[in-house]
Coordinates of all heavy atoms in Angstrom, one line a residue:
A347 N 64.3 106.2 157.9 CA 64.7 106.1 156.5 C 63.7 106.7 155.5 O 64.1 107.4 154.6 CB 64.8 104.6 156.1
L348 N 62.4 106.6 155.9 CA 61.4 107.2 155.1 C 61.5 108.7 155.1 O 61.4 109.4 154.0 CB 60.0 106.8 155.6 CG 58.8 107.3 154.8 CD1 58.8 106.7 153.4 CD2 57.5 107.0 155.6
V349 N 61.8 109.3 156.2 CA 61.9 110.8 156.3 C 63.1 111.2 155.5 O 63.1 112.3 154.9 CB 62.0 111.2 157.8 CG1 62.4 112.7 157.9 CG2 60.6 110.9 158.5
R350 N 64.2 110.4 155.5 CA 65.4 110.8 154.8 C 65.2 110.6 153.3 O 66.0 111.0 152.5 CB 66.6 109.9 155.2 CG 67.2 110.2 156.5 CD 68.5 109.5 156.7 NE 68.5 108.1 156.4 CZ 68.2 107.1 157.2 NH1 67.8 107.4 158.4 NH2 68.2 105.9 156.8
G351 N 64.1 110.0 152.9 CA 63.8 109.7 151.5 C 64.3 108.4 151.0 O 64.3 108.1 149.8
D352 N 64.8 107.6 151.9 CA 65.4 106.2 151.6 C 64.2 105.2 151.7 O 64.2 104.4 152.6 CB 66.5 105.9 152.5 CG 67.3 104.6 152.1 OD1 66.8 103.9 151.1 OD2 68.3 104.3 152.7
H353 N 63.3 105.3 150.7 CA 62.2 104.4 150.7 C 62.5 102.9 150.6 O 61.9 102.1 151.2 CB 61.2 104.8 149.6 CG 60.7 106.2 149.8 ND1 59.5 106.5 150.4 CD2 61.2 107.4 149.3 CE1 59.3 107.8 150.4 NE2 60.3 108.4 149.7
A354 N 63.6 102.7 149.8 CA 64.0 101.3 149.7 C 64.4 100.6 151.0 O 64.0 99.5 151.3 CB 65.1 101.2 148.7
K355 N 65.1 101.4 151.8 CA 65.5 100.9 153.1 C 64.2 100.7 154.0 O 64.1 99.7 154.7 CB 66.5 101.8 153.8 CG 66.9 101.2 155.2 CD 68.0 102.1 155.8 CE 68.5 101.4 157.1 NZ 69.6 102.2 157.7
A356 N 63.3 101.6 154.0 CA 62.1 101.5 154.8 C 61.3 100.3 154.4 O 60.9 99.5 155.2 CB 61.2 102.8 154.6
V357 N 61.2 100.0 153.1 CA 60.5 98.8 152.6 C 61.3 97.6 153.1 O 60.6 96.6 153.6 CB 60.4 98.8 151.1 CG1 60.0 97.5 150.5 CG2 59.4 99.9 150.6
R358 N 62.6 97.6 153.0 CA 63.4 96.4 153.5 C 63.2 96.1 155.0 O 63.1 95.0 155.4 CB 64.9 96.6 153.2 CG 65.3 96.4 151.8 CD 66.8 96.2 151.7 NE 67.6 97.3 152.3 CZ 67.9 98.5 151.8 NH1 67.5 98.7 150.5 NH2 68.6 99.4 152.4
L359 N 63.0 97.2 155.8 CA 62.8 97.0 157.2 C 61.4 96.6 157.5 O 61.1 95.9 158.5 CB 63.2 98.3 157.9 CG 64.7 98.7 157.9 CD1 64.9 100.1 158.4 CD2 65.4 97.7 158.8
W360 N 60.4 97.1 156.8 CA 59.0 96.8 157.0 C 58.6 95.4 156.6 O 57.8 94.7 157.2 CB 58.0 97.8 156.3 CG 57.9 99.1 157.0 CD1 57.8 99.3 158.4 CD2 57.8 100.3 156.4 NE1 57.6 100.6 158.6 CE2 57.6 101.3 157.5 CE3 57.8 100.8 155.1 CZ2 57.5 102.6 157.2 CZ3 57.6 102.1 154.9 CH2 57.5 103.0 155.9
R361 N 59.2 94.9 155.5 CA 58.8 93.7 154.9 C 58.8 92.5 155.8 O 57.8 91.8 155.9 CB 59.6 93.4 153.6 CG 59.0 92.2 152.8 CD 59.7 92.0 151.5 NE 59.6 93.1 150.6 CZ 58.6 93.5 149.9 NH1 57.5 92.8 150.0 NH2 58.6 94.6 149.2
P362 N 59.9 92.2 156.6 CA 59.9 91.1 157.5 C 58.8 91.1 158.5 O 58.1 90.1 158.8 CB 61.3 91.1 158.1 CG 62.1 91.9 157.2 CD 61.2 92.9 156.6
A363 N 58.6 92.3 159.1 CA 57.5 92.4 160.1 C 56.1 92.2 159.4 O 55.2 91.6 160.0 CB 57.5 93.8 160.7
A364 N 56.0 92.8 158.2 CA 54.7 92.6 157.5 C 54.4 91.1 157.2 O 53.3 90.7 157.3 CB 54.7 93.4 156.2
E365 N 55.5 90.4 156.7 CA 55.3 89.0 156.4 C 55.0 88.2 157.7 O 54.4 87.1 157.6 CB 56.6 88.5 155.7 CG 56.7 89.0 154.3 CD 58.1 88.7 153.7 OE1 59.0 88.2 154.4 OE2 58.2 89.0 152.4
E366 N 55.4 88.7 158.9 CA 55.1 88.0 160.1 C 53.7 88.4 160.6 O 53.3 87.9 161.7 CB 56.1 88.4 161.2 CG 57.5 87.8 160.9 CD 58.5 88.2 161.9 OE1 58.2 88.8 163.0 OE2 59.7 87.9 161.7
G367 N 53.0 89.3 159.9 CA 51.6 89.6 160.3 C 51.5 90.9 161.0 O 50.4 91.2 161.6
N368 N 52.5 91.7 161.1 CA 52.4 93.0 161.7 C 51.5 94.0 160.9 O 51.9 94.3 159.8 CB 53.8 93.6 161.9 CG 53.8 95.0 162.6 OD1 53.3 95.9 162.0 ND2 54.4 95.1 163.7
A369 N 50.4 94.3 161.5 CA 49.4 95.2 160.7 C 50.0 96.5 160.4 O 49.7 97.1 159.3 CB 48.1 95.3 161.5
E370 N 50.7 97.1 161.3 CA 51.3 98.5 161.0 C 52.3 98.4 159.8 O 52.3 99.3 159.0 CB 52.0 99.0 162.2 CG 51.0 99.4 163.3 CD 50.6 98.3 164.2 OE1 51.2 97.2 164.2 OE2 49.6 98.4 165.0
A371 N 53.1 97.4 159.8 CA 54.1 97.3 158.7 C 53.4 97.0 157.4 O 53.7 97.5 156.4 CB 55.1 96.2 159.1
Q372 N 52.3 96.1 157.5 CA 51.5 95.8 156.3 C 50.9 97.1 155.7 O 50.9 97.3 154.5 CB 50.4 94.8 156.6 CG 51.0 93.4 156.9 CD 50.0 92.5 157.5 OE1 48.9 92.9 158.1 NE2 50.2 91.2 157.5
S373 N 50.3 97.9 156.6 CA 49.7 99.1 156.2 C 50.7 100.1 155.6 O 50.5 100.8 154.6 CB 49.0 99.8 157.4 OG 48.4 101.0 157.0

């Protein structure tokens, strides 16, 4: 999604993992 320029989708996909403590998603 990020490569396609769909940043909003990338953020939606990263957020749940980041909230669960995933360091890569948080970064």
